[in-house]
Structures are given as structure tokens and as C-alpha cells.
């Protein structure tokens, strides 16, 4: 008998990154078990338990392939080629386009590190893209993490932070269901619940936590911004917010000119005027002025809210300048949403709104999280702003029991943001219409790439290099995508399997799973304690067949394209050592301790007390001059026309979507154990709607919108609103023998083919994946 080895590791198949032990016999993985002592190792989800099915799947790509059939062929054909031939051909096309046309004419596509094995390779891939010089990467960030990680910086100066659920008095889950998407975080929420904390859940579906919440706000899809403004209005009207924090650590009292919308500066007024200089907000003539202070940089001893919410006339030599405080401007925007109007828009009863506001006001600390549920709408950016400002009123950001930004130690980022020149960055597709959106970091939308391929404006996209992902199943506009793919001069796809997108590539490269390569994780953001854990997972087994890691692929290409000098000499160890350098953790120490090491320091609480917030004013920004200067509303006002209104009675139902623990994006449909759990796509609908349409459990249903249609199995569900239905994205086909196939469409189950991209968030480019209109019929 062979002795079984237990190798410490962590799973990368979703954001949870669960600590685990991999069981190995005779050089093969035979199972995986939780590692309870690990911050995220209490349990494993079905995806994590299916490791052997994935690694040893009969359909794994094991050698590079070159297309031998025309693009768009019903059944594409391939021939095996060597790695050297494949990489020479790829580097040759990339070098040719770079030299003849410019690197911007090669676009890239990178799958999400939050829900795929790309987690450990993403920084290497991004560094290579920027070293090459392309500002065009389809990243999907505008329908995923952009709002919580980047729009939040317009308010906090940092991302949403890590919720300190271990010490909070109130848990707020807003459009986020960790039971389905982040198992380790779900366990932290459950621990908090056992302590007896209050919980508010904002979700249109009766999720596990919605049913258990002290206050469940069953919001209509796409109306979250009105809800956030309405809750803020209740807190401001009653004066039940953290006045001291708002007064001292936000820009609430800063004066804003009514005529220009800019902050009132020292250069605007008579030195003997009615305002006093805030020293921390600038110096000299550029100093910002605040209303009703006791002196330069000082606040009144009695911080009443009245001085924060006032109008003022500032006298100058040339006349008075009408001004309002930043908080007053926001308060006036929020006042447009009194309880009755919010109830009408969101479907939430007034008494529930008041209950939620009371819980937020009465809780000593609040920890929250918001993700896809609010990030997939045409108002996603200002919705995040409204939620962030509402949260700022609680005074919890950065404090114990709140959301804490930063890590337990400093690490270097090797994603290479400094490698892309300003001139190249300015060429990002869509940046001209969304100047502070994801394009600023080189992350563009799929639609903008398709349009550039098809119209050759503002310049042609000639090649697409895709690292994982399955754009045809995961993004809207699949018909336009197929048309664009057929017109590309060159297309490369790296993946575990041949998927719908890979079938259009000229060369397909076989990628090693995370179990077959090394992976560095500097902090596990499941909790503040988890942020202290640093782990270097070893390769559990050698790569299957000829597969290689994404890191090895980009290092090989970098060498061939003459980029080794900016890719750490194409030595992964040098790159990892650079990441770790500021923390004091040695790479060799991690290699000797595969279970990881725990840092001696903790995530710093209330760090703003020392350096303020990382915003232009050094304060949490209720009013954003950054947004104003880019042509956007500086406070999250909500135009009624931006709400998802039904303009066509032929589509009477709100169409939204939700994730399942079984799958992540388009992955896993070929894994037998997962398919047994969820064999077909599901459409949740209320019991009342099912009865009205004559639909029973498991009936096949066709869902149609103005943009397209798809099919799913019906799941009548208690406590859903009668006017809303919820689908699942990521499906391309169904394996059920009885699945109907309208018009012979093999993408019949693809939810995204029914979503229009015509109406997009003006800041980020997000699209209404969670708030469209549809009709349904039993097939």
C-alpha cells in the first residue's frame, strides 16, 4: 500500500479561497478536505470537492492546438502543434501588429480572479499586457468588482474594505449572498449571528440570510439607489447619524459654490470673510473653506448637526458668493426620496424602511458588503456612491466592527500599472465617454472591443489574446461577438477545455489548473484575522499532459517579445520575492511552510486618525469634486428616467439573475457531481406568477426580451415579488434529453443573449444584467 500524503493548500475556484488539505497517492490527487485551522478552511463547497473530476476530466486540453477549419464552422477542427510552434506563431503576430500598427490594436481578455483559477496568475498576466503596451483588456470588471473596489474610492479613498464581522453590532448584506458565492465569508456571518448581532439584508430574493434577517428589505431589482438615498434621508432628517465623525472626518462642512459647483477656496474670498480655513484640506490660496468653525483647522466643541446642514453667504470684495455645505447638497438630494416615494419605487413598506434606518442609527458599529447585486445596473456607480455615503453616516468605516481597508502588512503590486504610458492609456476603448471608468486602468468592455473589430473605429482591433473566460456565455451580445471573432486577424485562447469562445480561436493553449502550479496568496480577506495569513501553495501534482500555467505562458511570450527586463527576468521566484519584500516575509520561509505563516501585525484600525482618508480632501467625501470635474453629479442624485421603467406592456416582468453555489460563471457544467446538483438552468418565479401563467415546477419556460430569448426550468418560489423573475447566467446549452431547442439555437440557455447593452452606466459601463424587462411562456 502507498502512503497517503496530505498537502496544505487553498482552493482558487471562487473568492472564498478556502484553506484545505489535498490528499495525494502515487502522485495523483485522490481527494480534498477542509483545513479547520486555516482562516478560510472550515468547510468546502461542491466546486472545491470536485477537484479530481476537474483535474482528471477526459476532455481536458493537454496539448496546443491550431485551427484547421474556417472561422464559424459548425464543427471546428484542430491539429496538435508543439509549444514552441504555438508560442512562436503567437509572438510573431503580436510583434508584427506592434511594429506595424501599434500595441493598442491587440486586445486581451482575462477571466475573473474572484471566481476562477486565474486568482494566482492575474498579476503576472496583467503585467505582461501592460509591458506589451495594450490598453485594451476585456476584464468584465464593470459588471463585477469595479464599484465596490474602485467607485468606492471616490467616497472612502480606498475600496470597500474587509468587514469586521467578528466584532460588529450589525451586519448589512446589500445585493450579496455569501451562502452562494463566498462560503468562508458566509461562515463569518453565521458566527456574528450566533453572537446575536442585528442583520439587514437588501435582496429581492428570499436567500438564506434574507429569511434570517432582523430586517429584510425586498427591493425591486434596479432600485437600490433610491433605497440608499431614502435611508440616508431618514437618518439625516432625524439627526440620528454619527455627527462627530461626519463633522470631523468627512467633507460635510466644506462649502460648495452654488454657481460653479466647486469647493469654495481661500482664493475666492476676503480673508476676513465668514469662513475659516481647513488646514488639512490644502494650503494657501487653494485651501478649502468650511462653514462655522472655531478657527483654522478647529471644530466647535459642540458638534451640532445644524452647522453641517446650512446655507451661507460668503462676503467678498466683489459681492456675496452663495454656498451650501457638502452635506446640505447631499441632504437635499436624499430629501427627494421620502419614505412614501421610496416605498412606491422599491416596493419596500415604509415601516420596513424606518426599521432599517433605526437599526443603522442605533448600532454602535455596522459591517457591510455589496457586490454584483448592485453592480449590474445602468446606475451602478451612483448606487455604490449612495450606499457608501449612507455607510459613512454611521461612522463605522475604518473602525473596529466596521469595514477596514488595507492589509496586515504591505506587499508590492506587480500588475504593472506604471508600465503603460499615459499616451497608451489614453487610447483605451470607451475612455472618451467614460473618462474615470475602468478604461483608465486599461479594462474595457467586450462591446467596445466588438465594435472596434467590426467598424475599425477609433482604430481596428486586429487580434484577441484570451486568458480563460468564455465571453460568449458570460457577456451579452453573443451574436455580435461571433461576428467580431470571425473578422479578427488572429485569436488565441488559453483554457482547461474547448468552450464556445475557444472554438473561434486560431490557436488554443492548454492551461494547468491551480492544483498543478504554485500560487501565492498575501492575505485571505475572509476576515481581519485572515488578512494576517500569507501562503504559497506548492504545485500538488505536475501539470496534466503538456498544460502550462498562465504565468509560464506570459513569461515565455515576454521572453520572445523582448520584455524580460520588465518581467523580473521571466523568473517567477523573483516576482514573488518582489511582492513579499515590504512585508518582511521571505519566499524561502513560505516554501518551507506550505500551510502558510501568520503575520505578527494586524490590519490597522482607524488609520484615518493619523493620515486622513486617501481622497483629495483627506476626508471621506460626501461631495466629490472628482466626479464634478469629469462631468458627473458630485452627489448621487437619481434621475427618475434612470430607473428601470417598463415602457412596453409586452414585457411585464422584471428580469434579474442570481448565482448558485454549484457553478461560477460558465464553469462546471461538464463536472458530473455539479451537474447532478443543478442539471439545468433555473428560472425562479413567484407562486402567484406561476399560477397565472399555468407553469409548474420543472416546466421548461421561454423567457423573451426586446434583445432576445432563452430557456430555463421553472422553479416557483415562495416570497418572491409577483412582478419579478430570476435566471442564472453562464449557461450555453442544456444536456437534458427533454430540453427544447428553439430554432435550433445551441445557445438557447444563454441568459445573456436576452440582455441589451444599449443602456449602460455612464461612469463604469455596467449593463442591466439584474434589471431588465421580459415576458415568459410555458413551452
Amino acid at each position: 500500500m502507498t502512503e497517503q500524503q496530505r498537502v496544505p493548500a487553498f482552493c482558487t475556484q471562487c473568492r472564498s479561497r478556502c484553506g484545505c488539505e489535498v490528499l495525494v497517492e502515487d502522485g495523483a490527487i485522490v481527494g480534498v478536505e477542509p483545513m479547520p485551522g486555516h482562516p478560510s478552511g472550515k468547510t468546502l463547497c461542491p466546486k472545491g470537492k470536485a477537484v479530481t473530476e476537474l483535474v482528471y476530466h477526459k476532455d481536458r486540453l493537454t496539448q496546443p492546438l491550431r485551427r484547421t477549419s474556417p472561422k464559424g464552422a459548425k464543427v471546428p477542427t484542430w491539429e496538435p502543434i508543439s509549444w514552441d510552434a504555438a508560442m512562436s506563431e503567437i509572438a510573431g503576430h503580436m510583434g508584427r501588429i506592434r511594429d506595424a500598427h501599434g500595441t493598442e490594436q491587440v486586445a486581451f481578455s482575462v477571466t475573473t480572479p474572484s471566481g476562477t483559477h486565474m486568482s494566482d496568475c492575474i498579476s503576472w498576466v496583467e503585467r505582461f499586457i501592460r509591458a506589451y503596451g495594450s490598453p485594451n483588456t476585456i476584464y468584465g470588471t464593470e459588471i463585477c468588482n469595479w464599484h465596490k473596489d474602485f467607485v468606492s474610492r471616490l467616497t472612502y479613498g480606498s475600496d470597500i474594505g474587509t468587514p469586521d464581522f467578528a466584532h460588529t453590532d450589525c451586519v448589512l448584506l446589500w445585493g450579496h449572498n455569501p451562502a452562494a458565492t463566498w462560503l468562508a465569508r458566509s461562515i463569518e456571518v453565521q458566527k456574528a449571528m450566533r453572537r446575536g448581532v442585528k442583520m439587514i439584508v437588501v435582496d429581492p430574493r428570499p436567500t438564506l440570510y434574507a429569511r434570517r434577517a432582523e430586517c429584510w428589505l425586498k427591493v425591486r431589482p434596479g432600485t437600490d439607489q433610491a433605497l440608499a438615498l431614502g435611508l440616508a434621508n431618514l437618518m439625516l432628517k432625524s439627526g440620528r447619524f454619527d455627527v462627530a465623525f461626519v463633522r470631523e472626518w468627512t467633507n460635510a462642512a466644506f462649502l460648495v459654490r452654488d454657481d460653479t459647483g466647486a469647493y469654495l477656496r481661500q482664493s475666492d474670498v476676503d480673508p476676513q470673510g465668514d469662513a475659516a480655513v481647513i488646514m488639512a484640506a490644502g494650503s494657501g490660496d487653494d485651501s478649502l473653506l468650511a462653514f462655522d468653525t472655531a478657527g483654522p483647522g478647529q471644530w466647535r466643541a459642540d458638534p451640532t448637526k445644524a452647522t453641517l446642514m446650512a446655507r451661507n453667504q460668503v462676503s467678498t470684495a466683489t459681492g456675496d458668493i452663495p454656498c451650501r455645505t457638502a452635506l446640505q447638497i447631499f441632504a437635499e438630494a436624499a430629501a427627494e426620496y421620502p419614505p412614501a416615494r421610496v416605498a412606491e419605487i422599491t416596493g419596500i413598506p415604509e415601516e420596513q424602511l424606518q426599521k432599517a434606518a433605526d437599526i443603522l442609527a442605533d448600532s454602535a458599529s455596522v459591517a457591510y458588503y455589496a457586490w454584483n447585486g448592485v453592480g449590474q445596473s445602468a446606475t451602478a456607480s451612483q448606487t455604490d456612491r449612495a450606499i457608501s455615503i449612507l455607510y459613512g453616516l454611521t461612522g463605522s468605516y475604518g473602525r473596529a466592527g466596521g469595514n477596514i481597508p488595507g492589509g496586515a502588512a504591505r506587499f508590492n503590486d506587480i500588475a504593472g500599472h506604471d508600465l503603460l504610458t499615459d499616451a497608451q492609456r489614453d487610447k483605451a476603448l470607451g475612455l472618451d465617454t467614460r473618462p474615470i471608468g475602468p478604461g483608465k486602468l486599461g479594462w474595457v468592455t467586450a462591446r467596445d472591443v466588438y465594435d472596434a473589430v467590426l467598424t475599425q473605429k477609433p482604430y481596428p482591433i486586429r487580434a484577441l489574446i484570451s486568458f480563460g473566460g468564455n465571453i460568449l456565455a458570460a457577456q451579452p451580445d453573443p451574436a455580435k461577438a461571433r461576428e467580431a471573432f470571425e473578422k479578427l486577424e488572429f485569436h488565441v485562447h488559453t483554457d482547461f477545455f474547448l468552450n464556445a469562445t475557444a472554438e473561434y480561436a486560431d490557436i488554443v493553449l492548454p492551461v494547468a489548473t491551480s492544483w498543478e502550479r504554485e500560487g501565492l496568496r498575501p492575505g485571505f480577506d475572509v476576515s481581519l484575522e485572515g488578512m494576517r495569513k500569507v501562503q504559497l501553495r506548492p504545485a500538488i501534482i505536475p501539470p496534466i499532459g503538456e498544460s502550462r500555467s498562465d504565468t509560464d505562458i506570459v513569461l515565455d511570450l515576454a521572453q520572445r517579445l523582448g520584455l524580460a527586463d520588465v518581467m523580473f527576468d521571466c523568473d517567477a521566484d523573483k516576482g514573488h520575492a518582489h511582492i513579499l519584500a515590504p512585508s518582511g516575509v521571505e519566499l524561502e520561509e513560505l516554501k518551507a511552510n506550505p500551510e502558510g505563516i501568520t503575520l505578527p501585525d494586524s490590519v490597522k484600525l482607524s488609520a484615518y486618525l493619523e493620515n486622513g482618508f486617501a481622497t483629495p480632501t483627506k476626508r471621506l467625501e460626501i461631495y466629490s469634486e472628482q466626479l464634478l470635474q469629469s462631468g458627473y453629479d458630485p452627489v448621487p442624485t437619481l434621475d427618475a428616467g434612470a430607473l428601470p421603467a417598463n415602457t412596453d406592456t409586452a414585457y411585464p416582468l422584471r428580469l434579474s439573475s442570481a448565482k448558485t453555489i454549484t457553478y461560477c460563471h460558465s464553469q462546471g457544467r461538464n463536472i458530473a457531481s455539479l451537474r447532478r446538483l443543478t442539471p439545468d438552468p433555473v428560472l425562479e418565479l413567484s407562486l402567484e406568477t406561476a399560477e397565472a401563467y399555468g407553469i409548474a415546477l420543472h416546466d421548461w419556460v421561454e423567457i423573451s426580451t426586446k434583445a432576445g430569448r432563452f430557456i430555463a426550468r421553472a422553479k416557483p418560489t415562495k416570497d418572491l415579488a409577483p412582478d419579478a423573475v430570476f435566471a442564472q447566467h453562464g449557461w450555453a446549452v442544456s444536456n437534458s434529453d427533454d430540453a427544447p431547442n428553439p430554432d435550433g439555437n445551441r445557445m438557447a440557455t444563454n441568459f445573456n443573449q436576452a440582455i441589451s447593452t444599449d443602456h449602460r452606466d455612464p461612469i463604469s459601463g455596467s449593463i442591466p444584467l439584474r434589471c431588465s424587462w421580459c415576458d415568459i411562456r410555458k413551452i
Side-chain angles (χ1 to χ4, degrees), residues 91-106 132 424 462 560-563:
H93 280 286
M94 293 180 69
R96 170 183 62 82
I97 295 172
R98 175 188 60 189
D99 298 341
H101 306 289
T103 52
E104 67 275 6
Q105 295 192 21
V106 176
Y132 174 72
Q424 281 301 102
R462 300 175 183 274
R560 293 169 187 265
L561 289 165
L563 303 173

Side-chain angles (χ1 to χ4, degrees), residues 215-288:
C215 182
W216 173 25
L217 301 178
K218 189 163 64 174
V219 64
R220 286 184 180 130
T223 65
D224 301 80
Q225 186 178 342
L227 173 59
L229 290 171
L231 292 174
N233 178 56
L234 287 172
M235 294 177 70
L236 291 169
K237 290 285 189 185
S238 65
R240 297 172 65 199
F241 60 96
D242 191 330
V243 177
F245 175 84
V246 169
R247 186 181 181 86
E248 295 182 32
W249 291 108
T250 78
N251 65 353
F254 286 14
L255 289 170
V256 177
R257 297 177 58 133
D258 282 351
D259 54 353
T260 65
Y263 292 125
L264 187 70
R265 287 171 163 78
Q266 185 65 49
S267 57
D268 296 330
V269 303
D270 186 327
Q272 303 303 315
D274 300 332
V277 177
I278 306 288
M279 300 302 290
S283 60
D285 287 346
D286 200 44
S287 294
L288 306 184

